[in-house]
């Protein structure tokens, strides 16, 4: 029926032989503003240009400008942060080394700076608990563990834990991780009865007291290659106390392990130390308070991987028993053995949303467009079905095979002048007018893809042509009925 009314000679008959009123604009729908049509593409272009202008397509680390808590200036933590800062500076970044009394203070200051963001990261000894209520995250564990050294004038003579009974031992300044660790050890079930006399001094003072013999041992948690330890053994003549059954002590604390300092490690000629020394060891944690952006976190992770070659492997293959939750950005770094493509070349986009979320967004947008396309095709099908239904009603009124050109040439007479026919035709015109409004409204919908509105325009043109022909018939019918 659709073909019989509109495709069989329709364009020639209607266009060449019939003068029809121009297709009216459906009432209630204002045409789109020309200013809006020009402004919207311009604003979209401007937004894209600004976005591209803000993208950092380089692989440098210039986006890193953070402060990091370390420890005593002469300690290993300060040396680690200085090394990271030097690496960052080569690529345009900056890591400020913020000294402190030690790990306990680092955690307290890091938690306190969660709102002000004056510091973003800290190096912390494993086993030091976070302040109550603090929302801190782990970013990694350094692959090189630190050792617990006991240095004294007669350190070589101490080979068993029992020999610590009643000794004067300095455990580092208040607020340091060393002080907290050693206090935990000496207050444990096995060692509490030794009656060790604890004191608390900074590293230089503790070394001086040990050298003078005013204390029996000075305890330090440092890297075994630390210049401080090497100088104390080589230059000050301090000896390392080693404990043959130190592994038993390590088993009492999940964050402790044990290792060996080889004979002659600090002086192969004088053989310092003279024999292997068994010592406690523990990991160093990189902790953050959430102030750093994702790109800054990943930049720091890149620097850590450069400074500690086994950093990624160590964190990926060994369990996290620190008590701190691993940050999402750091977890992704370990899982992908580095930064993902988006984080490498578009770090600012990573700050807005992690790469995995971007994938979900893209999939969601793609799914949305598919659903929108289906919805658009469904609505267009319903418009066409309604128009075909109107054509079928016209065929019923005027006869099967009647074209619009035929209706336009009809001179109403006899039964065509009857009121029921007029009512039926007016009913069809009203239905087509409503359908034209619906067609125009849906053509402006967000569901319609770019260029897809032309299908609606085609349907609308067919509908308006039919309306014009039927209105012409009604006008001629009324005129003939009036003159009869």
């Amino acid at each position: 029926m659709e073909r019989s009314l509109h495709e069989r000679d329709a364009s020639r008959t209607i266009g060449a032989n019939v003068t029809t009123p121009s297709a009216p604009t459906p009432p209630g729908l204002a045409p789109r503003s020309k200013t809006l049509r020009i402004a919207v593409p311009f604003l979209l272009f401007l937004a894209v240009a600004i976005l591209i202008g803000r993208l950092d397509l380089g692989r440098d680390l210039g986006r890193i400008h953070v402060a990091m808590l370390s420890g005593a200036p002469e300690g290993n933590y300060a040396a680690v942060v200085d090394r990271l800062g030097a690496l960052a500076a080569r690529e345009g970044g900056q890591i400020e080394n913020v000294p402190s009394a030690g790990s306990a203070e680092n955690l307290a200051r890091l938690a306190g700076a969660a709102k002000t963001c004056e510091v973003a990261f800290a190096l912390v000894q494993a086993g030091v608990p976070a302040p109550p209520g603090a929302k801190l995250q782990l970013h990694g564990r350094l692959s090189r563990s630190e050792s617990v050294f006991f240095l004294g004038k007669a350190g070589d003579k101490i080979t068993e834990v029992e020999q610590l009974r009643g000794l004067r031992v300095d455990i580092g300044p208040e607020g340091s991780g060393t002080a907290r660790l050693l206090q935990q050890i000496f207050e444990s079930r096995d060692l509490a009865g030794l009656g060790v006399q604890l004191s608390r001094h900074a590293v230089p003072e503790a070394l001086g007291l040990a050298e003078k013999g005013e204390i029996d041992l000075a305890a330090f948690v440092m890297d075994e290659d630390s210049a401080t330890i090497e100088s104390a053994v080589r230059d000050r003549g301090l000896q390392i106390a080693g404990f043959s059954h130190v592994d038993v002590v390590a088993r009492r604390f999940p964050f402790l392990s044990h290792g060996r300092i080889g004979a002659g490690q600090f002086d192969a000629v004088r053989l310092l130390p003279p024999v292997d020394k068994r010592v406690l060891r523990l990991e160093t944690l990189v902790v953050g308070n959430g102030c750093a952006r994702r790109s800054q976190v990943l930049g720091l992770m890149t620097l850590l991987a450069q400074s500690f070659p086994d950093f990624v492997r160590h964190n990926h293959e060994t369990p996290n028993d620190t008590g701190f939750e691993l940050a999402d950005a750091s977890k992704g770094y370990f899982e992908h053995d580095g930064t993902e493509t988006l984080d490498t070349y578009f770090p600012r986009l990573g700050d807005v949303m992690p790469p995995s979320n971007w994938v979900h967004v893209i999939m969601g947008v793609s799914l949305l467009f598919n659903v929108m396309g289906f919805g658009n095709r469904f609505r267009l099908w319903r418009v066409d079905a309604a128009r075909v239904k109107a054509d079928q009603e016209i065929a019923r009124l005027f006869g099967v095979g009647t074209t619009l050109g035929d209706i336009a040439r009809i001179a109403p007479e006899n039964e065509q002048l009857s009121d029921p026919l007029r009512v039926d035709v007016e009913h069809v015109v009203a239905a087509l007018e409503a359908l034209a409004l619906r067609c125009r409204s849906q053509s402006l919908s967000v569901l319609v893809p770019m260029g897809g509105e032309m299908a609606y325009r085609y349907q609308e043109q067919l509908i308006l042509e039919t309306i014009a022909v039927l209105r012409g018939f009604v006008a001629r019918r009324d005129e003939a009925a009036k003159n009869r």
Side-chain angles (χ1 to χ4, degrees), residues 283-450:
E283 292 183 316
T284 299
L285 315 181
V286 182
V287 182
N289 58 6
C291 285
R293 300 189 301 273
R294 177 184 174 87
S295 60
Q296 293 176 325
V297 170
L298 294 177
L300 177 63
M301 302 292 286
T302 300
L303 296 175
L304 288 167
Q306 292 175 7
S307 186
F308 299 91
D310 289 336
F311 176 69
V312 176
R313 181 191 61 78
H314 176 69
N315 283 271
H316 185 63
E317 295 180 0
T318 59
N320 173 22
D321 296 327
T322 63
F324 292 96
E325 182 181 358
L326 188 61
D328 290 338
S330 303
K331 184 186 299 183
Y333 187 91
F334 297 138
E335 290 176 350
H336 295 90
D337 196 18
T339 56
E340 299 179 63
T341 302
L342 182 68
D343 288 318
T344 301
Y345 296 103
F346 304 94
R348 302 300 182 189
L349 291 181
D351 289 340
V352 175
M353 195 161 38
S356 58
N357 288 13
W358 280 110
V359 172
H360 295 158
V361 168
I362 293 172
M363 292 179 60
V365 170
S366 176
L367 179 61
L368 176 62
F369 280 136
N370 287 332
V371 172
M372 290 172 60
F374 174 79
N376 173 62
R377 291 189 295 272
F378 177 80
R379 298 204 306 185
L380 187 61
W381 168 64
R382 295 309 303 157
V383 168
D384 185 69
R387 183 184 60 78
V388 171
K389 182 179 180 181
D391 285 350
Q392 291 173 341
E393 181 64 16
I394 293 172
R396 185 185 68 81
L397 296 175
F398 293 96
V400 176
T402 305
T403 67
L404 289 180
D406 296 336
I407 298 175
R409 291 190 295 269
I410 290 176
E413 58 183 4
N414 302 326
E415 67 276 2
Q416 294 174 342
L417 298 177
S418 65
D419 290 337
L421 178 61
R422 186 184 189 283
V423 171
D424 290 340
V425 172
E426 286 289 354
H427 177 75
V428 174
V429 169
L432 289 173
E433 288 176 342
L435 185 60
L437 280 172
R438 173 177 154 195
C439 189
R440 174 59 63 90
S441 175
Q442 291 183 0
S443 71
L444 303 176
S445 171
V446 295
L447 293 179
V448 180
M450 185 179 298

